[in-house]
Amino acid sequence: NNEVDNVDIAIIGAGIGGLCAGAILNSLYNKRVGIYESHYLAGGCAHAFDRRASNGADFTFDSGPTILLGCSTPPYNPLRQILNAIGQEVKWISYDAWGMIENPGRDTEKRWRLELGPDAFEQGPLLEFGGEEAQQEFRDLRRRTKGLVAGAVDIPAMAMRPGSS
């Protein structure tokens, strides 16, 4: 019996869900948690990766959950709520846009930038790639889900629990 293997709860997968569950169980419920991952890097699709450009400049790319919802201003996304609950502070870097390069270095290379902010998606890529019909469908979706979105903002993910309370 190795002390490392003596855990209350074993979590398979060190993606964002497994890491958050482990942090909550350990920090808030004092459980000994083992998180087991087959990949060499924890975080699943919620991690960053580094690349060097041909001119030697280094870039870090965030491929995780902060890209659309953000962690720096309310309403906080579930990741930020969990970090707050377990007492972890992170220096958040705000940005006003993100971009994508399709088929880099090829004749078919296409670059685009998504501005962030109110209505930026609707007036930008949605209009450009989907047209006015897509904009109308998006407005209808917003209208139909307005109450659900309001509830999601008002009830933090950390407050939701299964079963009786």
Side-chain angles (χ1 to χ4, degrees):
N1 263 345
N2 187 332
E3 188 66 27
V4 174
D5 295 328
N6 186 11
V7 297
D8 299 316
I9 298 169
I11 296 174
I12 308 301
I16 192 70
L19 293 172
C20 287
I24 290 167
L25 290 165
N26 179 261
S27 297
L28 301 182
Y29 298 100
N30 297 317
K31 299 293 183 185
R32 289 184 51 140
V33 178
I35 302 175
Y36 304 96
E37 172 61 51
S38 64
H39 196 270
Y40 69 90
L41 182 64
C45 67
H47 69 273
F49 56 93
D50 298 319
R51 293 291 184 266
R52 177 164 286 156
S54 59
N55 66 1
D58 291 323
F59 294 91
T60 299
F61 295 87
D62 175 8
S63 61
T66 59
I67 200 161
L68 295 179
L69 193 51
C71 289
S72 57
T73 58
Y76 296 127
N77 70 21
L79 174 61
R80 171 66 187 265
Q81 293 172 33
I82 289 169
L83 291 170
N84 288 350
I86 64 171
Q88 294 294 311
E89 291 191 28
V90 174
K91 180 182 175 188
W92 301 105
I93 300 171
S94 297
Y95 44 89
D96 59 3
W98 62 274
M100 182 173 166
I101 302 173
E102 297 178 43
N103 305 314
R106 298 185 185 145
D107 291 340
T108 57
E109 178 177 296
K110 182 175 183 177
R111 295 173 177 243
W112 56 275
R113 175 181 167 98
L114 175 62
E115 301 290 331
L116 302 177
D119 301 317
F121 171 72
E122 188 176 341
Q123 298 303 320
L126 185 63
L127 178 61
E128 182 180 348
F129 297 111
E132 292 180 12
E133 184 178 342
Q135 279 185 312
Q136 186 57 49
E137 289 175 1
F138 187 70
R139 283 189 213 99
D140 289 345
L141 176 66
R142 276 186 158 168
R143 182 180 48 75
R144 291 178 182 180
T145 60
K146 186 176 183 178
L148 180 62
V149 170
V153 167
D154 291 340
I155 303 171
M158 290 294 297
M160 293 185 257
R161 292 181 178 81
S164 59
S165 29

